Amino acid sequence: MADEIPVLDLAPLLRGERDALDRLGPQLYRAFTGVGFYFIRNTGVPDALVEAAFAAAARFHAQPLDAKLAMPFSVHNQGYLPMRGNTSRMNAVDGVKKPNANEAVFFKRELPPDHPDVLAGKRFRPANQWPADLPGFRDVALDYIAAMEGLGRRLVPIYAAALGLPHDWFDDKFREPMFTLRMTHYPQQEPTAPADEWGLAPHADTSFMTILAQNKVPGLSIRLPDARWIDAPALDGHFLVNGGMMLRRWTNHAFLATPHRVTNRSGQERYAIPFFMDCDYDAVMAPIPTCVTADNPPRYPPFTYLEFMTEYSGANYDQRGRSAAGVALQGA
């Protein structure tokens, strides 16, 4: 199934070749109008860092439950969400009703406690919560976050090229992008588990960009535009990238937000470390000019990150999550 999902080679971009963006742009356009996912290779992200991040996720979830609950999930979509703590409703497909069989912890940009946005209680701009008794965990998580933010920034000009825009068109909208690292644990699902029990139920992401490190334990499937579900292959040394409803809205529906799901019937514990990147907190997203035509007039008024995420808030959570007004869970 690898040939269903395009592969973009970033080596020419990393080498600074003058025409790299113009070559990659059409490839990305075809990916987002035909599949909604693409692989990237030669990213410059060390394999050892990816392995360390997966190991850190396993270490976190191996803690006693009380230690994880000491970092409660908050209004900022940050902290620890317990097993079966959410049900995919917003962005869901196929009439999902059961809670997702996973637990997850979320981290955002590292802001000091005295940062003005933290002091003001600005939503989605908190100080991170960190585990008290996991030496080295914070350093690994922050190193991985920095690598993913750098990778995401390198990808953004390709989106501009794909959309027929100047390569720097998004620059003023990604000066300090919003992002979330989610470390998820999918326990083994019994072979006798109901067919409608999911590790993560069929859904579309909310983000502009989701960057997913490849997982040695299978479980991720995506739904192609022709309604076929395929198992996403795991390609060594690659990342899998997709867009969500923010990208779809911003491109006036030119780009896909492709549904996907996770099941873990592998007989092993499964961990995932998706990184969700969006534009700046205050950036105004109006339908991109090259995506507006006489046949496709603007579908949405201009919006900001806060407006968009607030709109999606609270739909996917149980009573614990609703009381925290959490936003919809994202990614695999």
Side-chain angles (χ1 to χ4, degrees):
M1 293 299 182
D3 57 348
E4 303 273 10
I5 304 174
V7 179
L8 275 62
D9 190 342
L10 301 190
L13 186 64
L14 297 184
R15 290 195 296 264
E17 294 183 14
R18 189 178 307 176
D19 64 345
L21 290 173
D22 292 325
R23 283 187 281 155
L24 289 166
Q27 297 175 48
L28 188 144
Y29 182 86
R30 287 192 294 273
F32 270 126
T33 55
V35 180
F37 277 75
Y38 63 95
F39 285 107
I40 49 176
R41 66 184 180 197
N42 294 319
T43 63
V45 178
D47 291 343
L49 178 57
V50 177
E51 292 169 4
F54 273 115
R59 287 180 65 210
F60 178 88
H61 289 295
Q63 295 180 106
L65 181 59
D66 286 350
K68 293 181 282 190
L69 290 174
M71 299 169 49
F73 188 77
S74 77
V75 67
H76 304 293
N77 191 36
Q78 181 256 26
Y80 172 69
L81 192 73
M83 187 69 66
R84 302 183 189 278
N86 81 301
T87 302
S88 296
R89 296 188 182 96
M90 188 65 75
N91 296 355
V93 297
D94 297 340
V96 174
K97 296 179 181 179
K98 292 186 177 180
N100 290 312
N102 73 64
E103 59 179 333
V105 63
F106 300 76
F107 302 99
K108 293 192 173 292
R109 184 178 296 279
E110 181 75 339
L111 300 177
D114 60 352
H115 190 283
D117 290 354
V118 176
L119 294 176
K122 189 176 285 190
R123 193 169 184 197
F124 309 122
R125 296 280 288 171
N128 280 314
Q129 304 176 74
W130 295 104
D133 297 313
L134 285 184
F137 176 90
R138 177 177 174 273
D139 290 341
V140 171
L142 290 178
D143 285 348
Y144 189 72
I145 284 171
M148 291 300 98
E149 182 182 6
L151 177 56
R153 286 176 177 273
R154 288 193 292 275
L155 292 174
V156 166
I158 307 176
Y159 287 65
L163 293 165
L165 299 164
H167 297 164
D168 62 355
W169 193 86
F170 286 106
D171 285 3
D172 64 343
K173 302 164 186 65
F174 284 85
R175 290 195 178 104
E176 188 181 82
M178 297 294 294
F179 56 69
T180 304
L181 171 64
R182 173 181 170 174
M183 292 180 163
T184 310
H185 171 217
Y186 298 99
Q188 303 173 42
Q189 293 173 251
E190 295 298 326
T192 56
D196 61 348
E197 178 180 275
W198 306 101
L200 193 60
H203 70 286
D205 286 352
T206 62
S207 54
F208 176 89
M209 179 191 303
T210 303
I211 306 175
L212 183 65
Q214 292 297 273
N215 201 313
K216 293 182 173 61
V217 179
L220 175 64
S221 303
I222 71 173
R223 191 177 76 179
L224 300 177
D226 63 7
R228 285 184 298 129
W229 283 96
I230 65 168
D231 294 334
L235 305 181
D236 288 343
H238 292 59
F239 289 86
L240 187 59
V241 184
N242 67 285
M245 295 306 295
M246 178 182 285
L247 178 66
R248 181 159 177 77
R249 182 180 293 194
W250 204 354
T251 60
N252 208 37
H253 288 199
F255 282 178
L256 295 168
T258 296
H260 47 287
R261 66 192 184 194
V262 177
T263 55
N264 182 18
R265 303 180 192 274
S266 66
Q268 306 175 64
E269 301 302 299
R270 186 180 192 272
Y271 301 91
I273 49 174
F275 182 83
F276 308 97
M277 195 171 91
D278 298 304
C279 65
D280 293 356
Y281 193 85
D282 295 318
V284 176
M285 290 169 276
I288 291 171
T290 55
C291 299
V292 176
T293 65
D295 295 330
N296 189 30
R299 298 168 182 262
Y300 305 96
F303 62 99
T304 65
Y305 174 90
L306 178 61
E307 291 167 342
F308 178 83
M309 296 304 285
T310 300
E311 177 183 339
Y312 280 83
S313 180
N316 284 13
Y317 289 85
D318 63 5
Q319 190 59 46
R320 177 195 301 273
R322 284 199 297 274
S323 67
V327 303
L329 278 181
Q330 308 170 77

